[in-house]
């Protein structure tokens, strides 16, 4: 990729990881991803903000081939997809000083072996002059690590946000050209790694909104040259507001649980509740996480394996618990052959979710008319809980 100017004197150095399909050996990347560094040339000094994933080392180094001097390296975030090349860049630019937040100091040392004498901790709000441009450091902790910060250039009205507002999206476009596509990728990204820190992010959002910027340059995905839509999206995702929606992960072994799921989906739809159902043997777990950003209710549907919940439901419940969605209600349905502890097991998997259990329907063998009546009662309970809850947005 070629370095491209996004503001006078500011170049985006994007490394596009077209082939990558998994992050952290966990998170599916259906659209690949990118890692963006930014070169800021002032009249007196030059800074490089963040780096790239070591797998794409050459992408970054090729784009820096003509850059003889870097005075400052800025580490907004220590995770190695942005910091992994710092040791090599510090060797390449021996006079460069590495600027980081107070909490990053220890992390950069322990994760990357950066020597203390090359580091300079910057305080929240501190400024470093590059001559006709200024770097102002804005602490934004827990987006999604404790040390995260943004770098703001007031003269350019430009915010370097690293993971904040990012999207896993491989594209040759440097700016957002398809807002719907970027919004979906950014929502998936938020669901997977930002959602557990919703409260902290809400505070950080207010903090950066006080800055006068017209461009957000994240370190994943395209640059926002019209950033209002992504800021508004973050406002909504971090707000307490929920949608009249159910997230329904399910698995079926011999068809009983599937019959129950299909009946329940229909019953919920008849009552005006939207359902996102995910058959877990074919589900992209990122899609499931994304539905949890807005859903008011989680309903897990599981058959019974050796008296316990199906492992796929166990896994999905663990993921739901880990990403800490704001949902408020839950239920478990499913089937069994002779006995089942699946309900207790699923309930035990979600201690982080402060949910009200609206009901459980466990069926021995094939569902009957009585089973379907119980599922209708559960659908009634879900619809009523949503209708009565002032946090659930009514369409
Ligand atoms: Fe893109 Fe938290 O690293």
């Amino acid at each position: 990729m070629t370095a491209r100017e996004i503001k006078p004197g500011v170049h985006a150095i994007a490394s596009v990881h077209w082939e990558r399909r998994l992050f952290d050996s966990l998170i599916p990347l259906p659209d690949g991803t990118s890692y963006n560094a930014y070169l800021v040339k002032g009249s007196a000094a030059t800074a490089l903000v963040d780096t790239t994933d070591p797998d794409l080392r050459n992408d970054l180094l090729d784009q820096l081939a003509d850059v003889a001097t870097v005075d400052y390296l800025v580490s907004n975030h220590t995770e190695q997809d942005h910091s992994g090349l710092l040791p090599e860049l510090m060797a390449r630019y021996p006079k460069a000083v590495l600027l980081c937040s107070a909490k990053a100091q220890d992390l950069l040392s322990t994760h990357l072996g950066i020597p203390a004498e090359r580091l300079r901790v910057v305080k929240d709000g501190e400024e470093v002059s590059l001559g006709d441009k200024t770097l102002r450091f804005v602490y934004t902790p827990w987006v999604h690590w404790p040390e995260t910060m943004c770098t703001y250039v007031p003269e350019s009205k430009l915010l370097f946000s690293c993971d904040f507002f990012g999207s896993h999206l491989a594209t040759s476009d440097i700016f957002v050209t398809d807002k719907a596509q970027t919004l979906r990728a950014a929502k998936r990204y938020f669901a997977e790694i930002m959602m557990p820190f919703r409260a902290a992010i809400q505070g950080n959002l207010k903090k950066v909104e006080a800055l006068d910027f017209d461009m957000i340059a994240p370190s994943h995905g395209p640059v926002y040259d019209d950033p209002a839509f992504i800021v508004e999206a973050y406002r909504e995702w971090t707000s307490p507001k929920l949608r009249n929606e159910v997230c329904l992960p399910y698995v079926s072994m011999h068809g009983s649980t599937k019959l129950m799921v299909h009946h329940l989906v229909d019953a919920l739809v008849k009552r005006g509740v939207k359902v996102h159902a995910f058959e877990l043997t074919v589900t992209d777990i990122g899609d499931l996480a994304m539905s949890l950003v807005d859903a008011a209710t989680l309903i897990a549907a599981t058959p019974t394996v050796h008296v316990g919940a199906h492992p796929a439901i166990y896994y999905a419940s663990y993921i739901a618990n880990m990403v800490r969605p704001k949902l408020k209600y839950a239920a478990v349905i499913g089937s069994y052959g002779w006995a089942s502890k699946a309900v207790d097991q699923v309930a035990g998997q979600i201690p982080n979710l402060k949910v009200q259990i609206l009901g459980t329907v466990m069926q021995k063998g094939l569902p009957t008319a009585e089973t379907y009546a119980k599922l209708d009662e559960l659908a009634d309970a879900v619809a009523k809980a949503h209708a009565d809850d002032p946090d659930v947005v009514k369409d």
Side-chain angles (χ1 to χ4, degrees), residues 305-368:
V305 184
H306 300 317
V307 192
H310 191 284
I313 283 288
Y314 217 67
Y315 179 70
S317 307
Y318 182 85
I319 296 281
N321 187 63
M322 187 175 72
V323 297
R324 294 174 181 255
K326 53 189 172 186
L327 52 85
K328 292 170 80 170
Y329 309 100
V332 182
I333 66 168
S335 58
Y336 58 97
W338 55 93
S340 179
K341 294 182 178 171
V343 171
D344 288 346
Q345 284 187 340
V346 172
Q349 282 286 87
I350 52 173
N352 292 339
L353 308 183
K354 308 303 177 203
V355 289
Q356 178 188 343
I357 302 295
L358 294 177
T360 60
V361 182
M362 290 301 289
Q363 173 62 31
K364 184 175 180 181
L366 281 170
T368 63

Side-chain angles (χ1 to χ4, degrees), residues 23-24 33-35 77-82 143-145 147-148 162-163 168 189 193-194 219-220:
F23 200 89
D24 291 344
T33 191
S34 64
Y35 323 97
H77 177 27
T78 314
E79 196 167 12
Q80 287 89 331
D81 52 323
H82 309 292
V143 186
H144 59 125
W145 278 25
E147 89 302 1
T148 44
C162 203
D163 281 349
H168 282 311
Y189 186 77
I193 67 165
M194 297 294 180
S219 288
H220 293 292

Side-chain angles (χ1 to χ4, degrees), residues 94-166:
K95 292 185 181 164
V97 175
L98 176 54
L99 306 175
C100 67
S101 70
K103 284 232 165 89
Q105 187 175 25
D106 168 63
L107 293 172
L108 287 166
S109 164
T110 53
H111 287 261
L112 296 162
I114 306 283
E117 62 273 18
R118 296 290 304 275
L119 275 170
R120 181 175 140 198
V121 170
V122 289
K123 295 188 186 125
D124 186 22
E126 186 173 337
E127 294 185 340
V128 168
S129 176
L130 305 179
D132 61 350
K133 291 186 180 63
T134 308
L135 303 179
R136 186 188 303 166
F137 305 100
V138 184
Y139 278 25
T140 49
W142 294 109
V143 186
H144 59 125
W145 278 25
E147 89 302 1
T148 44
M149 67 176 189
C150 294
T151 301
Y152 172 60
V153 183
E155 297 85 354
S156 306
K157 294 192 174 185
L158 176 57
L159 184 73
F160 298 115
S161 61
C162 203
D163 281 349
F164 204 1
F165 307 113

Side-chain angles (χ1 to χ4, degrees), residues 1 13-17 33-37 52-53 56 59-60 63:
M1 200 55 73
I13 301 178
S15 311
V16 182
H17 213 159
T33 191
S34 64
Y35 323 97
N36 307 326
T52 189
D53 190 282
L56 297 190
D59 271 39
L60 179 68
Q63 293 180 69

